[in-house]
């Protein structure tokens, strides 16, 4: 981890631990430079990262402020592979239903930009939050990049293994949302009833070189899940 | 609009018009500098903006590539006040149900960080896509900032009026998603049935100084709406 990333984590932790609310003013750049004993350009990079992550916002000529969502118990839709930061007070567990090496179907091959004769790791698991079903997850990993998986890895955070264990760099993801009705099978896995509402989230994760390596379909239990997203001005 | 933003729009338009696919390589920085007759720092800012918007991705030592979602007909969840770029081939219309000045309820005052004795513009409208109901929208605008609204404005894009007409600068938004079942009233407005699935999207829009000015609740017709979000590496 680079210096500016490390400082970003410390500032985030500080905001968290002191329960600073949205709009709270943070020290000026000069103070942060002295406190962390780094140059202005390092602090600038730190602040840019914190801004992108939705932790702070900067007002020209006025200062740096805490930008924090005010509601508790929401899952961040854009970092949901981790869950950790958003659901700190919750216990997350997984039950593996399937883990095997397969050939991709046409749909999977298309989304992962691979050939039909190549191979994927297929993972199907149920995720629980405090013992309640949170979601049913199916994922397809291109075996050319995710060369090895086993039950122990799949029972924990697969993304932690991919980045720390395999040392791959995740670049960006495309996320598609559909609202619909649960099938009988999905309802059975989630402990709900057929035709209950469902949120289906399809994600394609790419490495920093633009190569897709993971396609996943996650069906959420509507009773357990609410989500938030923080958007920045470049979207308007 | 600043020079780098203008160039960003031109590049985006070029990608659009030439139907460039994800992974297509764009010219190197030096070529872009010559083509647009600007400095390296301007092109760097252009590329940063395009990257944030999910239009391109940069690979160190390798080049600049088109990052474009491959699926058609999805609404961008983070820029849905505009709809325009994502739903270019569709016709969007609105029917106003209510437009009035009110006192905020406690819920509204809390989300807009205002006092109960202050006033809001309340707007309720149905939005149609190609004649089909897309969503039922309720919005509350803090009258201290959105000083004037009328039926003509509300029938078109309110955000266009806020930014171009009132000259306000939109900074960031917090977006909350809930999946549930339609009430009888919602179902009637959307032409669906009670207890059908619904996606409720609550958004709080802030000015660049951090002041919230618009709180909205949008209930989508699940049959007409599918969404996408592009996420960048700082979320992982």
């Amino acid at each position: 981890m680079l210096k500016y990333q490390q400082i970003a984590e410390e500032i985030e932790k500080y905001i968290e631990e002191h329960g600073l609310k949205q709009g709270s003013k943070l020290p000026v750049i000069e103070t942060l430079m002295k406190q962390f004993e780094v140059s202005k350009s390092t602090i600038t990079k730190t602040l840019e990262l914190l801004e992108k992550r939705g932790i702070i916002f900067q007002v020209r000529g006025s200062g740096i402020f805490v930008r924090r969502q005010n509601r508790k118990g929401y899952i961040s839709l854009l970092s949901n592979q981790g869950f950790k930061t958003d659901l700190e007070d919750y216990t997350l567990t997984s039950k593996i239903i399937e883990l095997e090496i397969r050939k991709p179907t046409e749909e999977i091959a298309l989304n992962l930009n691979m050939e039909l004769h190549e191979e994927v790791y297929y993972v199907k698991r149920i995720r629980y939050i405090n013992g309640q079903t949170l979601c049913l997850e199916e994922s397809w990993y291109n075996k050319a990049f995710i060369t090895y998986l086993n039950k122990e890895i799949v029972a924990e955070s697969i993304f932690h293994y991919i980045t720390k264990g395999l040392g791959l760099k995740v670049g960006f993801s495309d996320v598609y949302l559909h609202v619909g009705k649960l099938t009988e099978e999905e309802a059975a896995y989630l402990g709900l009833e057929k035709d209950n509402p469902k949120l289906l989230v399809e994600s394609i994760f790419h490495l920093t070189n633009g190569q897709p390596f993971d396609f996943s379909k996650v069906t959420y239990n509507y009773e357990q899940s609410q989500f938030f997203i923080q958007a920045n001005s470049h979207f308007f």
Side-chain angles (χ1 to χ4, degrees), chain A:
Chain A
M1 195 182 293
L2 296 169
K3 191 72 190 169
Y4 79 93
Q5 295 168 320
Q6 204 177 312
I7 299 174
E9 292 218 338
E10 281 185 48
I11 293 176
E12 187 174 354
K13 209 171 147 192
Y14 178 88
I15 293 169
E16 196 73 25
E17 283 172 355
H18 290 74
L20 297 187
K21 288 194 178 165
Q22 187 159 308
S24 305
K25 195 168 180 182
L26 292 175
V28 295
I29 292 182
E30 291 68 27
T31 312
L32 294 171
M33 282 165 64
K34 272 186 211 153
Q35 188 180 333
F36 292 104
E37 295 177 347
V38 291
S39 67
K40 186 167 181 175
S41 75
T42 301
I43 288 295
T44 305
K45 280 168 92 172
T46 297
L47 297 176
E48 271 173 15
L49 181 61
L50 287 170
E51 196 153 24
K52 279 184 190 165
R53 282 193 187 148
I55 312 291
I56 63 156
F57 64 96
Q58 301 186 66
V59 181
R60 205 174 292 175
S62 180
I64 307 156
F65 300 87
V66 173
R67 175 186 172 190
R68 209 192 176 187
Q69 60 126 1
N70 291 312
R71 301 187 190 181
K72 291 276 163 206
Y74 283 74
I75 299 169
S76 168
L77 196 60
L78 298 184
S79 55
N80 66 358
Q81 288 292 334
F83 286 116
K84 275 181 209 151
T85 43
D86 312 299
L87 296 172
E88 267 181 351
D89 306 335
Y90 299 83
T91 308
L92 279 159
T93 50
S94 297
K95 183 173 138 190
I96 303 165
I97 301 169
E98 266 182 273
L99 167 64
E100 60 170 32
I101 294 168
R102 285 185 181 179
K103 303 279 183 212
T105 61
E106 277 196 28
E107 180 203 8
I108 305 305
L110 190 72
N111 281 294
L112 287 175
N113 194 25
M114 61 190 292
E115 306 286 334
L116 289 168
H117 63 82
E118 297 180 296
E119 289 178 324
V120 293
Y121 267 107
Y122 171 70
V123 178
K124 185 172 182 174
R125 55 182 183 169
I126 306 175
R127 306 197 79 177
Y128 300 87
I129 185 162
N130 290 344
Q132 302 277 348
T133 57
L134 174 66
C135 60
L136 173 66
E137 180 191 305
E138 284 185 284
S139 295
W140 294 262
Y141 297 91
N142 187 338
K143 201 172 166 296
F145 305 105
I146 311 304
T147 48
Y148 180 74
L149 282 180
N150 68 22
K151 287 201 173 180
E152 201 181 324
I153 293 164
V154 171
E156 304 282 329
S157 167
I158 300 177
F159 259 61
H160 187 265
Y161 163 74
I162 288 172
T163 52
K164 309 292 178 192
L166 296 177
L168 294 172
K169 284 191 178 155
V170 181
F172 57 87
S173 67
D174 294 333
V175 180
Y176 300 92
L177 279 77
H178 304 256
V179 177
K181 295 177 184 174
L182 288 175
T183 64
E184 199 159 341
E185 193 206 345
E186 289 162 349
Y189 279 123
L190 293 174
L192 295 170
E193 284 175 31
K194 185 173 178 291
D195 292 334
N196 272 176
K198 80 168 168 187
L199 177 68
L200 170 65
V201 179
E202 290 184 33
S203 305
I204 305 166
F205 292 90
H206 303 74
L207 299 174
T208 45
N209 66 6
Q211 175 67 52
F213 69 94
D214 171 17
F215 175 58
S216 73
K217 295 187 183 190
V218 181
T219 304
Y220 285 94
N221 178 343
Y222 77 103
E223 289 182 336
Q224 297 298 325
S225 46
Q226 36 189 18
F227 303 89
F228 77 91
I229 312 166
Q230 294 180 302
N232 285 321
S233 58
H234 51 266
F235 287 110
F236 304 117

